[in-house]
Amino acid sequence: MSRLARGPDGGRPEASRQQLVTIAIDCFARHGFQGSSIDRIAKAAGVTKGALYYHFRDKEDLLLEAVQNRIGEFERHVVEAVAASEDAQERLKRVVDACFFTATASNHRRFIITLMVEALDTNPRLSDKFRMVLRRMRGFLADVVTAGQRRGTLRTDVAAADAAALIAGTIMGAEIQHYQDPNEVDLRRVLDAHLQQLADWLARPAGTAA
Amino acid sequence: MSRLARGPDGGRPEASRQQLVTIAIDCFARHGFQGSSIDRIAKAAGVTKGALYYHFRDKEDLLLEAVQNRIGEFERHVVEAVAASEDAQERLKRVVDACFFTATASNHRRFIITLMVEALDTNPRLSDKFRMVLRRMRGFLADVVTAGQRRGTLRTDVAAADAAALIAGTIMGAEIQHYQDPNEVDLRRVLDAHLQQLADWLARPAGTAA
Amino acid sequence: MSRLARGPDGGRPEASRQQLVTIAIDCFARHGFQGSSIDRIAKAAGVTKGALYYHFRDKEDLLLEAVQNRIGEFERHVVEAVAASEDAQERLKRVVDACFFTATASNHRRFIITLMVEALDTNPRLSDKFRMVLRRMRGFLADVVTAGQRRGTLRTDVAAADAAALIAGTIMGAEIQHYQDPNEVDLRRVLDAHLQQLADWLARPAGTAA
Amino acid sequence: MSRLARGPDGGRPEASRQQLVTIAIDCFARHGFQGSSIDRIAKAAGVTKGALYYHFRDKEDLLLEAVQNRIGEFERHVVEAVAASEDAQERLKRVVDACFFTATASNHRRFIITLMVEALDTNPRLSDKFRMVLRRMRGFLADVVTAGQRRGTLRTDVAAADAAALIAGTIMGAEIQHYQDPNEVDLRRVLDAHLQQLADWLARPAGTAA
DNA sequence: TATGAATGAGGATTCATTCAT
DNA sequence: GATGAATGAATCCTCATTCAT
């Protein structure tokens, strides 16, 4: 019996599959797609390559599953976080906090961002998936902004879509800089500055009618 | 005589070396470092692998030369652009425009950003180089901001370093989204929104003393 | 099932690994280390290069395993041969015979000697290994001589270490000449002459006290 | 003008050719034939590969020339040394001394021995050459022995050819051990022991008629 | 004489993938 | 479910050799 199957689930089918995905995520996050050989993942999981091929059709299948998994979790996390508030600025802050959390508590945001860039032009299937992810993210942010504009807490002369692209991009850009130079770029501090920036920028100018 | 040497330079020594770099940049930009096999680059250049190895010690050497080349050009471009103005907001606009230009007129910004992310954890030497690049970029932006603050055209209650990290990150984030989904993300439009955002955010509040 | 596994061992695990070593020894003996490409060895074994890399980390690993293997066998052979006798001259003869046997019945001595010379300055790790081999061999021969001197059957005014180096060297030199020119140099005959030489040289002069 | 041509010969044709050979010998001696790339030799000589190809048809041609050169010098050296004496034992000593000299004053003996072993089965043309070299050497030694036997200074019940093979082999074997383990094997000491061994072994037994 | 540029074959190594057991 | 053995294509790199200038 493999090391994995002896986990808390006691060998229940699907248990080890899920754990393989978890370990694969870690590997991909650390070394990228091309840098994570099947053998490396298998060794990290304490199984043989054959076991991976029993569970996943091929390497891309494993990757897609891993991505799906993390994206799903992240999006659920964001949706939940935002649901708890009605105020637009507060909701944007919660989105940013969710990103910060996923970026630092685990390396899952890094996993996503790294792979997304690596997938550009390299892997159409994966690229499509990420394109959809970012579209959803922007759509989600745009909805938050639009809602705020309707409620009168955000200025209305800024296109929601542009704001969404800017917010999503700024968070990603901050993360990349942090991943690349953690000593110089304090992610929390930069994201807080971004929130301040958003507050100043999107606030309804004083004396404007709601 | 090789195909390359028959170019407009008519066989001038060093010409083919430079053209190899140019072609390599293209390849790296499109497929990343790992995705660009030496053979692929050689074929794109119409020479054999051996020719590449005649000019460059190894694949990393070629990459480093390419990066050096592009970074240098880009930085020179930015410095020149900024020198032409004294106003902080105007200067920031010029930086953004330089990025836009390098991102669209050629694929050189894409080359840099793609490789930078790929290098994370993968290639320490290259990663170091990019770390320095971004530090210089942030330092440069911070200087622009600080100067604006001293002149009284920018608000002083924002840390220049934070503003610099935000600007650099936002540009990168906008570009990535554009590379990934050109139909949905209009880079010019997003960058313009960013400039507007900067203008609103960094402007000295009305009624404040210079 | 691979060609190898169909051998007399009938597919017993580890069988093919051992057979790969055997074939590699042959190849190395005939063409040296640099002259034996992995492909050549693989072809000789009827497997693909990948199979070799499945069993051995790299070419040097294969070589080291092969050397270890042959050296071990040879040394065991020598020790056993010598154990069967008490007389110094007889024991030296047995050492020489063991060398003759390994030189002619198989090509294993040739394998060792060829690689030893090739390793000079070329491969430090291998060179170290061979250095130790020869030290053990000389140490062993010196012990035999010293024992003979103590028992009074060998003259005592010859340093055992010098005798050991001479014997080891003479055997090696004879073998090399034989490998190089088998028609002109009859190994058995030369080694017999050497034994005679040793007998005459090391014999306790008549009329000397034991 | 190349570095070589500026030597003491002042650019006289054939001068640089000879110097190329000298440098090649050094390279071959240090790294063996396979370990000495044309580029390496060219760099060591301060010229380009093309220059080597101007002077020598191919790498083997260069090697052969180098070997020829060293062999010739060595053999001349031996012949001269021996000519100075009439006594067999003394002449053998001079041969041994010549080997010692060429082994230590330069690395030329090492060059020869290393290549000879490397050439076994690897390079028929070179192997032939070395076969002839050793035949000449053995023939020469046998002549010395035979002459000594005729003169009555050496015992006659030893076949001259066998003695020659033994002497040649012992010297080579001593050298190899020394090259491999210079700290443990003092070449001078071992060769002296060999001379002593020869003296004892080949001496005409007391009381035998000349 | 000699160089610089280039070729092309070969060699070590990696890796996704397959498959009998 | 999982393993061990093996494949074969791809990849990086080296090197002897050629040739126009």
Side-chain angles (χ1 to χ4, degrees), chain D residues 135-204:
Chain D
R135 283 188 188 171
R136 277 199 302 274
M137 183 73 182
R138 282 193 300 266
F140 185 81
L141 286 166
D143 285 350
V144 171
V145 169
T146 308
Q149 288 173 329
R150 277 215 206 87
R151 289 182 159 256
T153 52
L154 299 190
R155 66 195 282 187
T156 53
D157 59 341
V158 164
D162 292 347
L166 278 181
I167 295 170
T170 304
I171 297 173
M172 273 173 39
E175 284 184 53
I176 291 177
Q177 289 180 85
H178 170 70
Y179 298 145
Q180 204 219 27
D181 202 349
N183 296 322
E184 286 280 314
V185 178
D186 177 336
L187 185 55
R188 185 66 258 180
R189 187 182 159 91
V190 173
L191 291 181
D192 281 341
H194 179 48
L195 287 172
Q196 187 57 52
Q197 177 190 39
L198 284 181
D200 293 351
W201 176 49
L202 292 181
R204 189 162 52 94

Side-chain angles (χ1 to χ4, degrees), chain A residues 1 13 26 32 57 81 84 104-105 108 110 119 123 130 140-141 159:
Chain A
M1 190 184 290
D26 223 75
R57 199 162 28 74
T104 50
H108 295 171
R110 177 175 197 156
N123 185 326
F130 280 125
F140 185 82
L141 286 165

Side-chain angles (χ1 to χ4, degrees), chain B residues 100-113:
Chain B
F100 176 75
F101 177 78
T102 352
T104 51
S106 66
N107 52 7
H108 294 173
R109 279 283 294 186
R110 176 176 195 154
F111 165 69
I112 293 173
I113 290 179

Side-chain angles (χ1 to χ4, degrees), chain D residues 5-157:
Chain D
R6 278 193 237 101
D9 302 275
R12 175 168 56 76
E14 290 304 299
S16 66
R17 190 171 206 276
Q18 182 49 47
Q19 289 183 71
L20 288 177
V21 170
T22 305
I23 286 163
I25 289 169
D26 223 75
C27 229
F28 287 136
R30 252 201 276 282
H31 314 288
F33 180 62
Q34 312 220 45
S36 302
S37 73
I38 287 283
D39 211 25
R40 195 175 208 163
I41 298 172
K43 260 174 197 137
V47 298
T48 56
K49 282 182 287 189
L52 280 179
Y53 277 92
Y54 177 77
H55 286 292
F56 307 93
R57 199 162 26 77
D58 56 17
K59 196 183 166 189
E60 198 182 314
D61 187 33
L62 172 57
L63 175 67
L64 255 42
E65 182 115 354
V67 168
Q68 190 81 345
N69 183 300
R70 281 309 90 187
I71 296 282
E73 190 115 345
F74 171 69
E75 293 185 339
R76 233 169 296 126
H77 188 164
V78 170
V79 170
E80 269 174 34
V82 165
S85 169
E86 302 256 308
D87 175 60
Q89 296 273 14
E90 172 65 19
R91 288 166 90 185
L92 292 179
K93 174 170 168 37
R94 284 165 181 275
V95 172
V96 168
D97 286 352
C99 290
F100 177 75
F101 177 79
T102 348
T104 51
S106 66
N107 50 10
H108 294 171
R109 277 285 290 187
R110 178 176 196 153
F111 165 68
I112 293 172
I113 291 180
T114 305
L115 286 176
M116 185 165 59
V117 174
E118 189 178 343
L120 285 176
D121 278 306
T122 295
N123 185 324
R125 218 165 125 207
L126 189 59
S127 222
D128 281 359
K129 192 176 276 260
F130 280 125
R131 204 170 1 260
M132 291 312 148
V133 169
L134 270 193
R135 283 188 188 171
R136 277 199 302 274
M137 183 73 182
R138 282 193 300 266
F140 185 81
L141 286 166
D143 285 350
V144 171
V145 169
T146 308
Q149 288 173 329
R150 277 215 206 87
R151 289 182 159 256
T153 52
L154 299 190
R155 66 195 282 187
T156 53
D157 59 341

Side-chain angles (χ1 to χ4, degrees), chain C residues 8-9 13 25 27 29 35 50 64 85-86 93-94 110 115 128 137 141 155-156 158 161 164 170 177 194 199 209:
Chain C
D9 302 273
I25 288 170
C27 230
L64 255 43
S85 168
E86 301 254 307
K93 176 173 167 32
R94 283 164 181 274
R110 176 177 195 154
L115 288 176
D128 281 0
M137 185 73 185
L141 287 166
R155 67 194 281 188
T156 53
V158 164
T170 305
Q177 289 180 86
H194 178 46

Side-chain angles (χ1 to χ4, degrees), chain A residues 30 110 116 121 130-131 135 138 155 162 165 169-170 173 177 180-181 184-185 189 197 200-201, chain B residues 30 110 116 121 130-131 135 138 155 162 165 169-170 173 177 180-181 184-185 189 197 200-201:
Chain A
R30 253 202 275 281
R110 177 175 197 156
M116 186 165 61
D121 278 307
F130 280 125
R131 200 162 12 252
R135 283 187 187 171
R138 282 193 298 267
R155 66 195 283 187
D162 293 347
T170 305
Q177 289 180 84
Q180 205 220 28
D181 202 349
E184 286 281 313
V185 178
R189 188 182 158 91
Q197 177 190 39
D200 293 352
W201 175 47
Chain B
R30 251 200 274 285
R110 176 176 195 154
M116 184 165 61
D121 280 309
F130 281 126
R131 206 175 352 266
R135 282 187 188 171
R138 282 192 300 264
R155 66 193 283 188
D162 292 348
T170 304
Q177 289 180 86
Q180 204 218 27
D181 201 350
E184 286 281 313
V185 178
R189 187 182 160 90
Q197 176 191 38
D200 293 352
W201 175 48

